[in-house]
Amino acid sequence: MHQYMKSIGFGNIRDKKQLTQILKDVEESYTQHQLVTQDETTDLCEFEKEYGEGIGIKVCGDMDIDEQFEYRYYTPYFKGSGVTSYADVSVERRIDREAYVGICEDTKVGINLVFYLQNMMEYLRERQLGGRSIKYSSVTLSGLCNEGTILLPVLKSKEQEREQQEDVHNRMLLLSAAKSGDPQAIESLTLDDIDTYSKVSRRLISEDVFTIVDTYIMPYGIECDRYSIMGEILAVRERINRMTGVRLYQMRLNVNELTFDVCVPADSVMGEPEIGRRFKGTIWLQGYINF
């Protein structure tokens, strides 16, 4: 079973037979069905079924001229809301199957964010029509999470919040200049990092790391689209998986000035999520490119 099926309420699947029945249900009573031509005899086919607001399963495979479907793989999904980033996005095909990952170069984070592309079929159609000159307007990120922890917020004054926002803005400008090859910007960033390391090292003697760090996002494990995150909760919604009855939390987070939604089973969250508190967990990052 896919590791993140639990994130959308399918953590109680006992065996492969039960999983096969669920995938058959997706094929037979799908919410959406899309086809993209591969060659003269075969189309790439994707069945999608929603099992709650924004959550569901996609089954991908080949459809021949006799409308016989040959299964390839499946994936759970959670569709986020709003726009996460207007930064440049590049798309690459996975080596092992007909699936794609996106790479978002947002200066707010300082690293390239790699995400699983949710609207693969739309991307393939755009590529067939426009070739290499595909234009993206923005990307909407979301995360699937199996378990997490709620942390209390860090107490800050209005002056501290204003200074933090100014520091983030100045760092974004320096990162943009450094990417363009500005040697002074590169030197300034290096000195800032050394200064930050020194300050944090001194504070860690008498303080906990989570009272120093507000939010973070960093790669987790060996898979490129998994991240360990901690973010401020901006909104919380409780949803139900209509098939299993499992309660889910869908939280909108502010993570390093990026805003995106995360879906996690309610029973696997330690603490009570509320606006202003922080959520910490490991996510599988997904994304929807807005053309």
Side-chain angles (χ1 to χ4, degrees):
M1 186 179 77
H2 195 289
Q3 184 176 344
Y4 284 93
M5 286 287 279
K6 178 183 176 182
S7 302
I8 61 170
F10 287 101
N12 56 355
I13 298 176
R14 296 183 300 274
D15 50 38
K16 191 172 181 180
K17 182 179 178 181
Q18 191 176 1
L19 175 62
T20 303
Q21 290 174 344
I22 293 172
L23 299 182
K24 197 70 176 175
D25 177 59
V26 175
E27 291 179 36
E28 294 176 351
S29 57
Y30 53 84
T31 308
Q32 190 174 351
H33 174 220
Q34 298 186 71
L35 291 170
V36 172
T37 303
Q38 291 189 109
D39 52 49
E40 294 180 356
T41 60
T42 310
D43 292 333
L44 182 65
C45 177
E46 184 181 81
F47 294 103
E48 174 186 323
K49 181 166 183 178
E50 285 191 356
Y51 287 96
E53 189 168 337
I55 62 167
I57 300 172
K58 293 185 180 184
V59 175
C60 188
D62 297 319
M63 185 81 76
D64 62 21
I65 55 176
D66 298 321
E67 295 191 358
Q68 295 298 312
F69 179 71
E70 183 181 349
Y71 165 82
R72 284 196 192 181
Y73 67 89
Y74 74 96
T75 181
Y77 71 84
F78 168 51
K79 293 181 179 177
S81 58
V83 172
T84 304
S85 176
Y86 294 95
D88 293 335
V89 176
S90 56
V91 179
E92 296 288 340
R93 185 186 184 276
R94 288 177 60 104
I95 296 173
D96 56 339
R97 62 176 184 260
E98 189 70 37
Y100 292 79
V101 294
I103 304 161
C104 180
E105 304 174 7
D106 198 301
T107 54
K108 296 175 186 175
V109 183
I111 60 173
N112 291 339
L113 290 177
V114 180
F115 60 89
Y116 181 88
L117 183 62
Q118 292 179 333
N119 56 332
M120 173 187 72
M121 304 297 275
E122 187 179 0
Y123 166 75
L124 291 175
R125 281 195 294 270
E126 290 287 333
R127 195 175 68 177
Q128 287 178 356
L129 293 171
R132 296 287 180 180
S133 60
I134 304 176
K135 293 184 178 180
Y136 320 121
S137 62
S138 60
V139 62
T140 300
L141 298 179
S142 58
L144 287 177
C145 184
N146 285 337
E147 58 185 14
T149 306
I150 304 299
L151 302 176
L152 293 174
V154 175
L155 182 62
K156 291 179 289 187
S157 65
K158 294 291 183 182
E159 181 65 21
Q160 287 174 318
E161 290 180 357
R162 187 185 61 79
E163 289 179 357
Q164 185 177 14
Q165 290 175 354
E166 286 182 2
D167 290 342
V168 170
H169 179 70
N170 292 335
R171 184 172 177 81
M172 285 174 55
L173 294 176
L174 286 172
L175 283 169
S176 297
K179 286 178 67 176
S180 302
D182 187 336
Q184 289 185 340
I186 296 171
E187 184 180 354
S188 295
L189 284 170
T190 304
L191 293 174
D192 285 346
D193 287 343
I194 294 171
D195 187 40
T196 301
Y197 177 78
S198 177
K199 288 179 181 178
V200 170
S201 297
R202 288 197 301 270
R203 290 183 62 180
L204 281 174
I205 297 172
S206 58
E207 296 180 58
D208 184 83
V209 66
F210 295 124
T211 64
I212 301 171
V213 179
D214 269 341
T215 69
Y216 68 79
I217 179 168
M218 57 186 182
Y220 180 86
I222 61 173
E223 294 193 54
C224 57
D225 50 7
R226 292 183 69 197
Y227 293 88
S228 175
I229 66 163
M230 181 170 66
E232 180 187 354
I233 300 173
L234 304 178
V236 184
R237 301 178 298 274
E238 189 172 308
R239 298 288 185 250
I240 301 292
N241 182 310
R242 290 191 291 264
M243 187 175 191
T244 63
V246 174
R247 291 189 310 121
L248 306 168
Y249 286 136
Q250 294 180 0
M251 291 177 279
R252 191 154 183 79
L253 304 179
N254 177 6
V255 180
N256 276 35
E257 302 301 317
L258 286 180
T259 304
F260 58 85
D261 299 330
V262 168
C263 184
V264 58
D267 292 342
S268 300
V269 176
M270 182 180 293
E272 190 68 27
E274 288 186 7
I275 295 173
R277 294 180 180 178
R278 293 177 294 168
F279 174 80
K280 176 179 174 290
T282 302
I283 65 169
W284 178 37
L285 192 63
Q286 300 185 338
Y288 188 99
I289 294 178
N290 304 304
F291 294 99

